[in-house]
Structure formats: structure tokens, C-alpha cells
């Protein structure tokens, strides 16, 4: 009888070092590519913000230098009635400019109709005011709003209406500047909304038409809900741009206009204190206040978007 030797098969254990994959040898190369951008953000964004925070607690001397005065600039800011008037004027301007978004939705829907001839030309014509120099546009509108020889008052005189002095009458001056902002906001909004309209599937319109929906019903039930993300984005950038109102106000009214104290925006209020009165510490507090206000308004918009923005 022969004895057979039973051998247990030996299972080779894989090398864990090999199965773990190749060792990462990236080293410092990723940081080298990120470093220029990070350095630029720190130098041109974070450091100026930190400096502004520090300057808001100081008072600048006539010949330079800063003196630490604590929260005196902030206490003065919250007690200054001009600050609240500037906030109100900026909100009024923003509200009038925001009225252009529904008009831009309507115009974008017309321009993006299938088979429309010269659609690209219409987009260019609407976009030209956005890329033109703001000061040049403001000077043209200043001549049009002139109370003595402006074309607007001339057109009103043809129907028997004696036009007012638009840019030197309290109340009307801010409305005039706001109308220019209303007109100038169409270009970018139409392009963004037009891109949003192209992303809406045509099948939805065809299905709604087969169900007997009228054009207005299709616009209200298909276009508006699916275009709401684009409208939300346009609303965000329009409000942020409106809170930075300065160049049109300065070019149309001028710093010596008697209605300017009652018409100034937040940024003009900052300019007047920082560059005219040379009170840079107080101006730094105004700049931070503008940053905080824009941040609060933007957060409120993002919180409210759940009620009307449809991402489905």
C-alpha cells in the first residue's frame, strides 16, 4: 500500500503594496499651479478687505497716517440721515431697473421665435448699450433730458405738454437716471434669457399645443417655470449692479447739482466722503456697509428662490 502525500495548495498572498496602486508622487506641482491664483486672491481681494476693516476703525490725518478711534466711524454712520437716504435712493433705482426683467423676458421670447429673420441683428442692437461706455451713454441721455433743448421735452411739446427740467428737479432726477438703467439692462438680460429659452425642450411646447393650450397658456405654464433659473440669475446680477450705481449718476447730474444730496446713491455717498471730504476712515466704514448690504440682499434672494425657481 502506497502512501500518498497530500499537499495543501499554497495560495499566494498579493502584495498589499502593489494592490494599493501607484504611489502618489505629485509632490508640490499641484500647489505650484494653484499658487498664482491663490496669491492673486490674497493680494487683490482678501488683503484690501482686511485693510478696509482696519481703516474703518481709524481716522486719517490731513498729511497721512491713521489714528485708532474705535467704533466712532460706525456710530457716526448709523446716525447719519444721508446714509439712509442713500440706501433708499439705491433701492428705488434697483426696483425700477428690476422692472426691465419682465420686459427682457418678453423681448427674448420674441427674438427667439423659430424662423424669425434677423434675430442675431436684434440681439446685437439690444446688447450694444451694455458694452458701450457708460459715461458716453449718460452724456447722450443728459442732452436728451435737458429741460431747455432736449429731445424728450421737444416730443412732449408736440402734444401740448410742457416738459420739466428732469435732471434738476428733486424726485425726477432719480427717476431719470433709473430709466437709463432700465433701458441699459436689457442687453445682457436678453442674451442670458435667450440662452435659457434654447434649453427648454421643444417637445413640451408641442405637447401643450396638442392639449389645446393657447400661446399665452404655453408661455405661462411652460416658458416661465422653466426659465425661472435664468431669471433668478439675471435678478442677482442686476441687483448687485444696481447697488454699484455711480457713473451714470455722476455723469448725468454732476457733483455740483443742487439735487445731488437728495439723489445720491450708496457708492456716490462713499465717493463724496472718501474723495471729496477726504474722510477715508469713514468711507471705509461705508464701503463695508455696502458689502454687508449686498450680502444680506443676496442671501435673502437665495432663501426665497425655493418659492419660485424651478430646477426640474
Amino acid at each position: 500500500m502506497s502512501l500518498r502525500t497530500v499537499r495543501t495548495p499554497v495560495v499566494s498572498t498579493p502584495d498589499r503594496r502593489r494592490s494599493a496602486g501607484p504611489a502618489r508622487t505629485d509632490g508640490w506641482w499641484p500647489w505650484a499651479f494653484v499658487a498664482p491664483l491663490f496669491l492673486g486672491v490674497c493680494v487683490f481681494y482678501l488683503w484690501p478687505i482686511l485693510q478696509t476693516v482696519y481703516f474703518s476703525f481709524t481716522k486719517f490725518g490731513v498729511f497721512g497716517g491713521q489714528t485708532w478711534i474705535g467704533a466712532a466711524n460706525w456710530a457716526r454712520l448709523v446716525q447719519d440721515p444721508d446714509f439712509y437716504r442713500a440706501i433708499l435712493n439705491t433701492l428705488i433705482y434697483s426696483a425700477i431697473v428690476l422692472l426691465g426683467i419682465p420686459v427682457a423676458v418678453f423681448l427674448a421670447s420674441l427674438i427667439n421665435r423659430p424662423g424669425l429673420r434677423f434675430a442675431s441683428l436684434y440681439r446685437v442692437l439690444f446688447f450694444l448699450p451694455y458694452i458701450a461706455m457708460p459715461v458716453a451713454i449718460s452724456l447722450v441721455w443728459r442732452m436728451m433730458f435737458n429741460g431747455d433743448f432736449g429731445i424728450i421735452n421737444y416730443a412732449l411739446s408736440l402734444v401740448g405738454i410742457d416738459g420739466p427740467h428732469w435732471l434738476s428737479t428733486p424726485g425726477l432726477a432719480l427717476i431719470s437716471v433709473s430709466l437709463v438703467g432700465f433701458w441699459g439692462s436689457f442687453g445682457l438680460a436678453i442674451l442670458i434669457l435667450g440662452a435659457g429659452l434654447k434649453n427648454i425642450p421643444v417637445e413640451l411646447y408641442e405637447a401643450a399645443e396638442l392639449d389645446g393650450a393657447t400661446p399665452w397658456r404655453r408661455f405661462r405654464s411652460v416658458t416661465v417655470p422653466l426659465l425661472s433659473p435664468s431669471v433668478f440669475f439675471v435678478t442677482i446680477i442686476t441687483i448687485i449692479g444696481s447697488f454699484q450705481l455711480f457713473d451714470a449718476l455722476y455723469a448725468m447730474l454732476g457733483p455740483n447739482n443742487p439735487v445731488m444730496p437728495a439723489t445720491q446713491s450708496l457708492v456716490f455717498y462713499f465717493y463724496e466722503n472718501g474723495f471729496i471730504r477726504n474722510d477715508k476712515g469713514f468711507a471705509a466704514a461705508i464701503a463695508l456697509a455696502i458689502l454687508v448690504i449686498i450680502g444680506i440682499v443676496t442671501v435673502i434672494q437665495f432663501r426665497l428662490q425655493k418659492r419660485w425657481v424651478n430646477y426640474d
Side-chain angles (χ1 to χ4, degrees):
M1 181 176 180
S2 62
L3 297 177
R4 295 182 179 180
T5 305
V6 179
R7 296 181 180 180
T8 304
V10 179
V11 179
S12 61
T13 303
D15 192 355
R16 293 184 178 179
R17 289 176 298 179
R18 294 181 180 179
S19 62
R24 301 186 64 87
T25 58
D26 295 335
W28 52 271
W29 279 105
W31 297 102
F33 285 107
V34 175
L37 177 61
F38 180 75
L39 182 63
V41 170
C42 292
V43 172
F44 297 106
Y45 289 92
L46 297 181
W47 177 243
I49 291 176
L50 294 177
Q51 276 190 316
T52 305
V53 173
Y54 171 75
F55 290 154
S56 67
F57 294 97
T58 62
K59 182 176 180 60
F60 278 70
V62 178
F63 300 102
Q66 306 92 34
T67 304
W68 182 268
I69 60 174
N73 288 327
W74 292 96
R76 174 186 166 191
L77 180 64
V78 298
Q79 296 175 0
D80 191 357
D82 292 337
F83 174 62
Y84 298 101
R85 187 181 299 112
I87 293 177
L88 180 61
N89 292 336
T90 304
L91 291 176
I92 293 174
Y93 175 84
S94 302
I96 295 177
V97 174
L98 282 175
L99 293 177
I101 295 180
V103 181
V105 172
F106 177 73
L107 293 175
S109 301
L110 292 179
I111 293 175
N112 287 273
R113 287 184 303 169
L116 179 66
R117 299 180 61 185
F118 308 114
S120 299
L121 176 61
Y122 297 145
R123 295 190 189 97
V124 171
L125 292 177
F126 279 111
F127 193 67
L128 281 177
Y130 184 80
I131 62 176
M133 293 296 292
V135 175
I137 292 177
S138 300
L139 292 177
V140 172
W141 278 97
R142 181 176 180 176
M143 292 186 291
M144 294 174 63
F145 276 115
N146 189 280
D148 297 323
F149 53 84
I151 190 174
I152 295 178
N153 280 358
Y154 173 74
L156 293 176
S157 66
L158 297 178
V159 294
I161 300 176
D162 188 13
H165 287 76
W166 298 91
L167 302 180
S168 58
T169 303
L172 288 179
L174 180 61
I175 300 298
S176 303
V177 176
S178 302
L179 291 177
V180 176
F182 174 87
W183 167 77
S185 64
F186 289 158
L188 183 62
I190 288 175
L191 286 184
I192 296 175
L193 295 173
L197 287 171
K198 291 182 179 180
N199 290 328
I200 300 177
V202 182
E203 293 79 6
L204 296 178
Y205 292 104
E206 295 175 352
E209 187 176 1
L210 291 175
D211 290 339
T214 61
W216 167 248
R217 180 68 178 182
R218 294 196 298 268
F219 177 78
R220 186 169 62 90
S221 300
V222 179
T223 303
V224 173
L226 297 182
L227 196 61
S228 57
S230 300
V231 174
F232 174 68
F233 176 72
V234 171
T235 303
I236 291 288
I237 62 175
T238 300
I239 290 181
I240 293 177
S242 299
F243 270 84
Q244 299 174 4
L245 169 66
F246 174 76
D247 43 12
L249 190 67
Y250 186 90
M252 292 183 65
L253 302 185
N256 299 322
N257 195 313
V259 301
M260 181 56 78
T263 313
Q264 63 182 351
S265 63
L266 278 170
V267 178
F268 192 92
Y269 179 61
F270 159 78
Y271 164 79
E272 182 181 19
N273 285 277
F275 296 93
I276 303 300
R277 300 177 182 176
N278 201 30
D279 194 350
K280 293 182 174 58
F282 185 61
I286 298 173
L288 290 176
I290 296 174
L291 177 63
V292 171
I293 292 173
I294 293 177
I296 292 174
V297 173
T298 304
V299 169
I300 292 175
Q301 288 179 283
F302 274 95
R303 290 294 182 88
L304 295 178
Q305 69 165 328
K306 299 178 181 179
R307 301 184 179 182
W308 64 279
V309 180
N310 182 19
Y311 289 102
D312 298 332

